[in-house]
Amino acid sequence: MLEIVANREKIKLKFEDIIYIERVNRQINIVCRENEYLTYETLDKIKQKLPEYFIRCHTGFIINLNWIEYFSQNQIVMINNKKISVGRAYKLF
């Protein structure tokens, strides 16, 4: 489980419910199957707490590999139809 502080409350999120995590300005938006949560932790700190099936694909995104609908060299489409660009430094092929 990922433990975060959102709205001044400690929240525990199941890893399998997290679809992707994105940086929005100075906040981190964690998009889950049913809800979204905003926190002020950094992506690097959150990444350290996640299992290996979460990967960084862009400076502003961490994705759960289990929720990918399809992908190409430049873009990943998540199961909720969110399109995420793959950063140059993060290209796999």
Side-chain angles (χ1 to χ4, degrees):
M1 293 192 115
L2 176 65
E3 191 172 297
I4 62 165
V5 176
N7 295 326
R8 297 183 183 172
E9 294 180 32
K10 279 190 178 182
I11 298 171
K12 291 183 179 182
L13 304 173
K14 293 180 182 177
F15 293 132
E16 59 269 12
D17 288 342
I18 300 171
I19 300 172
Y20 64 90
I21 302 167
E22 72 175 312
R23 185 177 66 226
V24 180
N25 298 322
R26 296 167 77 195
Q27 292 183 309
I28 302 299
N29 185 32
I30 301 173
V31 178
C32 296
R33 199 181 325 201
E34 296 179 8
N35 291 315
E36 295 184 20
Y37 302 92
L38 287 172
T39 185
Y40 283 99
E41 286 193 60
T42 65
L43 274 181
D44 288 332
K45 285 184 181 178
I46 290 175
K47 177 71 172 101
Q48 292 173 4
K49 300 176 187 179
L50 297 170
E52 65 279 349
Y53 54 88
F54 283 87
I55 62 163
R56 191 104 179 235
C57 64
H58 189 277
T59 55
F61 282 93
I62 297 172
I63 62 167
N64 183 339
L65 294 174
N66 298 324
W67 287 95
I68 293 176
E69 183 74 30
Y70 61 91
F71 64 93
S72 68
Q73 186 174 0
N74 300 316
Q75 189 176 66
I76 298 170
V77 178
M78 303 305 291
I79 200 86
N80 64 350
N81 289 323
K82 172 73 173 178
K83 294 178 176 134
I84 301 170
S85 296
V86 177
R88 251 183 298 157
Y90 301 95
K91 289 195 179 185
L92 301 173
F93 46 88

